[in-house]
Amino acid sequence: MKIPHKTASEIKSAFARIIQSHPIKEFGCICFDLDESGCRIRAVNFEESLAWQEGSVSENARRFLIDFKHFKSLVETMKKDMSLQIEIQEGVVLLTVLYAHGGGVPIRLPLLTGESFPAQAETQIELRNCRLDRFLTAFQEVAVACARTDDRGILNSVLVAPSEGQLVATDGKRLLLRKTSSLPDLAELLLPVTRTLKSSLLDGESGKLGSDGRFIVFEQGPWSYRVKQPEGKFPRYHQVIPTSYANELDLRSIRGMGESLKRLFLLDPTEEDVVLSLHQGCVRLLAKGPQSGIRQVALGTIPHDGEVLLSFDRHFIAEGLQACGDQLLLKCGDARHATLFETPDRSVMYLVMPKKAELKEFRDYLEGVATPSGIPAPSAIELPPSATNPQAEEKAMSPTNEAEIPAVSAKVESEESHENPVQKDGLEAIYDKIEKLIEKQQEARKGLVEAHRAVHSTEFQLKLLIKDLKAYERGQNRRFKEVRKVEELISSLHKAA
């Protein structure tokens, strides 16, 4: 059986999401069913099983196990023009990395029979045709609202409700509901968030999906994935969605809220809270840091007379903006009631609870911004949407919003103080430097990964060469002993003569 490099790499990456470190050795191995007609490779854990199959495999196929660590190390040493050949000989499994021009490096592993490998549950599950690419894309978008845990509980699962045409996820603090037309014609089910379902392994226009209430099965191309469905009932999410709100804001005219949120926390990335405000028709995002004070981004104005001041977890808001996009409606009350982000067609609804926080300082700051002088609190910094020249940068860093008051310069500082780089270069220049440093860090990280792979590959090849040298040395020692025996025999014959 030969497996090309691309397929072997895909198999290695896919099974790495299933393999678990556990005292049960079968959970750290992959099982091969091999005969002349085809090959089936499987991996399992307590909740999932994944299989790759090429060709038809008969019932009397030879079954054996290979430790996944050996298989992974071998595949990582392969190049694009290589293929992996798997053979069974007397008492050993022979894995050979074949070069394109022929020949290869054989590795012999002890033959581990797979009789004790967990068998697949015998259930008759009816599979329905499904566009898995569309379905799993919608599933992955909704899964961001699930609980961030490693178990397979209810809150770490997505409710698939084909009868209502929607996917629902919640972690107890927020709720994300997405309507889609790509759901299969099945009964309502709970789909756990697993590493395999978050990957692109099963994406494809032609796929199949089925469930018997206990297991959920996906089939796409050569892959077959089975996962255990969580036990229990999903929360009654309809009851937590309010029917009326004190304020309903149309934010479709405001664009780039996600980018503004990202810019707001560039200087203080460890902060968690963001304040959303509507004051005198102006929508703002605000944050406060221990050193930077209150910072704000003015997003735009809308025709609304109400006042809104709510505090949220900034990660929750970022994920809600990503789910809803620029076309956004906001319905809210006070900190005791949930806030709803939704699209105009109600295809995406994101419900999140505000934080109970002390907001008096932010109210005072907003009142200061709205005064005729426009002078906010001394520690406040307004982040400009753009700064294309030094004058605009100085204006952006000024403690006021009026153009005729210049920015604080180094001349008025004490002789012992150092020049402030933010005042010198402006925020936009600082942002550019930060982004360039992040890009350099990512490039360096990629280089380290490639270097680690090269070192690992070289180490593996050196081990193979050392093994061959030891075998050669043992052969030479045996020949030397035989020569010595012949010489001793000749010497004894001479003495006898």
Side-chain angles (χ1 to χ4, degrees):
M1 175 66 188
K2 291 184 180 179
I3 303 176
H5 170 266
K6 182 178 180 181
T7 303
S9 298
E10 186 179 15
I11 291 173
K12 179 207 71 173
S13 301
F15 285 123
R17 306 183 186 102
I18 304 294
I19 297 296
Q20 294 181 352
S21 56
H22 197 273
I24 301 177
K25 69 174 183 179
E26 285 79 8
F27 282 9
C29 297
I30 52 179
C31 179
F32 286 77
D33 290 303
L34 195 66
D35 62 11
E36 297 179 354
S37 302
C39 174
R40 182 193 298 117
I41 309 175
R42 290 195 299 139
V44 299
N45 57 41
F46 284 112
E47 304 290 339
E48 309 164 85
S49 67
L50 180 66
W52 176 88
Q53 183 169 333
E54 184 177 89
S56 59
V57 181
S58 62
E59 295 181 357
N60 57 356
R62 188 69 179 272
R63 176 175 295 184
F64 58 92
L65 303 179
I66 293 180
D67 193 313
F68 182 73
K69 293 184 294 185
H70 297 321
F71 182 83
K72 178 183 176 182
S73 300
L74 187 63
V75 172
E76 289 177 348
T77 62
M78 295 172 60
K79 296 182 179 180
K80 293 183 179 180
D81 59 344
M82 296 180 177
S83 60
L84 178 63
Q85 180 173 285
I86 305 173
E87 296 178 302
I88 302 176
Q89 296 184 356
E90 294 182 0
V92 297
V93 177
L94 189 63
L95 302 178
T96 307
V97 177
L98 299 176
Y99 296 91
H101 54 75
V105 180
I107 298 178
R108 290 175 172 81
L109 299 177
L111 182 62
L112 302 176
T113 58
E115 285 78 7
S116 60
F117 193 82
Q120 187 167 289
E122 295 296 334
T123 55
Q124 297 296 330
I125 299 178
E126 182 181 358
L127 301 180
R128 306 288 182 87
N129 292 328
C130 176
R131 283 289 300 267
L132 290 183
D133 53 352
R134 295 179 181 176
F135 172 70
L136 291 178
T137 298
F139 166 81
Q140 292 163 5
E141 292 174 354
V142 174
V144 298
C146 290
R148 308 294 173 84
T149 57
D150 294 331
D151 61 3
R152 297 291 181 263
I154 299 297
L155 296 184
N156 194 33
S157 303
V158 174
L159 175 66
V160 182
S163 60
E164 300 181 20
Q166 62 189 19
L167 301 170
V168 188
T170 180
D171 61 359
K173 300 178 181 178
R174 53 184 174 157
L175 177 100
L176 179 57
L177 184 151
R178 178 185 175 88
K179 294 184 178 179
T180 177
S181 59
S182 59
L183 299 182
D185 184 16
L186 295 172
E188 187 174 276
L189 57 88
L190 280 174
L191 187 57
V193 180
T194 64
R195 296 174 62 191
T196 299
L197 293 180
K198 289 194 295 184
S199 69
S200 60
L201 178 68
L202 302 172
D203 288 355
E205 294 184 3
S206 60
K208 293 183 179 181
L209 174 62
S211 174
D212 62 352
R214 185 183 177 190
F215 294 98
I216 304 170
V217 177
F218 294 81
E219 287 189 0
Q220 203 284 316
W223 295 101
S224 177
Y225 176 67
R226 174 179 295 214
V227 61
K228 187 178 180 181
Q229 182 172 335
E231 298 179 357
K233 292 184 178 181
F234 197 77
R236 299 177 180 177
Y237 62 94
H238 291 290
Q239 298 180 357
V240 302
I241 300 177
T243 56
S244 61
Y245 302 87
N247 297 287
E248 297 188 8
L249 313 180
D250 188 346
L251 303 183
R252 284 178 289 183
S253 61
I254 295 177
R255 304 297 178 91
M257 290 184 65
E259 291 298 322
S260 299
L261 182 66
K262 186 186 301 182
R263 291 176 51 244
L264 188 65
F265 288 90
L266 277 177
L267 298 179
D268 292 277
T270 59
E271 295 176 29
E272 295 296 330
D273 297 341
V274 62
V275 175
L276 175 66
S277 74
L278 172 66
H279 186 74
Q280 296 187 1
C282 182
V283 181
R284 290 183 174 89
L285 294 176
L286 303 100
K288 179 186 176 183
Q291 297 180 353
S292 59
I294 295 179
R295 312 182 305 280
Q296 67 144 324
V297 177
L299 302 175
T301 58
I302 59 174
H304 196 278
D305 298 331
E307 299 288 332
V308 174
L309 192 64
L310 298 172
S311 177
F312 299 95
D313 185 302
R314 69 181 179 97
H315 302 289
F316 286 3
I317 295 298
E319 291 166 353
L321 295 175
Q322 185 176 3
C324 296
D326 289 335
Q327 298 296 315
L328 180 64
L329 302 179
L330 177 65
K331 300 178 181 180
C332 62
D334 54 22
R336 295 173 298 175
H337 300 86
T339 299
L340 179 65
F341 297 80
E342 66 176 356
T343 55
D345 58 357
R346 297 179 64 86
S347 61
V348 179
M349 300 174 63
Y350 184 73
L351 194 71
V352 59
M353 281 298 299
K355 285 190 170 183
K356 295 181 180 179
E358 180 57 46
L359 302 176
K360 183 179 183 302
E361 189 174 358
F362 292 97
R363 287 193 180 93
D364 296 340
Y365 167 71
L366 292 173
E367 291 295 335
V369 171
T371 58
S373 62
I375 302 178
S379 61
I381 299 176
E382 179 177 2
L383 299 183
S386 63
T388 57
N389 53 64
Q391 291 79 12
E393 294 175 355
E394 292 178 358
K395 177 183 176 182
M397 289 312 303
S398 172
T400 88
N401 292 334
E402 296 184 359
E404 57 268 23
I405 301 179
V408 178
S409 65
K411 295 181 180 179
V412 299
E413 296 179 347
S414 64
E415 295 180 357
E416 298 177 356
S417 64
H418 298 285
E419 187 178 15
N420 191 339
V422 176
Q423 295 172 350
K424 179 181 178 181
D425 298 331
L427 282 176
E428 291 298 326
I430 298 298
Y431 298 151
D432 293 339
K433 291 179 181 179
I434 292 174
E435 291 178 355
K436 290 179 181 179
L437 288 174
I438 293 174
E439 291 177 358
K440 290 182 179 179
Q441 184 183 20
Q442 292 176 347
E443 292 177 358
R445 186 176 298 172
K446 292 180 181 178
L448 289 174
V449 172
E450 294 297 331
H452 176 73
R453 290 179 178 175
V455 170
H456 184 78
S457 174
T458 304
E459 182 182 2
F460 184 76
Q461 293 176 2
L462 286 174
K463 288 181 179 179
L464 294 178
L465 291 174
I466 291 173
K467 184 178 180 181
D468 292 340
L469 286 173
K470 289 182 178 179
Y472 177 77
E473 183 179 0
R474 289 194 295 269
Q476 290 293 99
N477 289 336
R478 286 195 297 270
R479 297 187 185 92
F480 181 73
K481 291 179 180 179
E482 293 174 356
V483 170
R484 293 286 298 176
K485 289 180 180 179
V486 172
E487 290 178 349
E488 292 175 358
L489 179 60
I490 294 174
S491 177
S492 61
L493 291 174
H494 281 297
K495 290 180 180 178

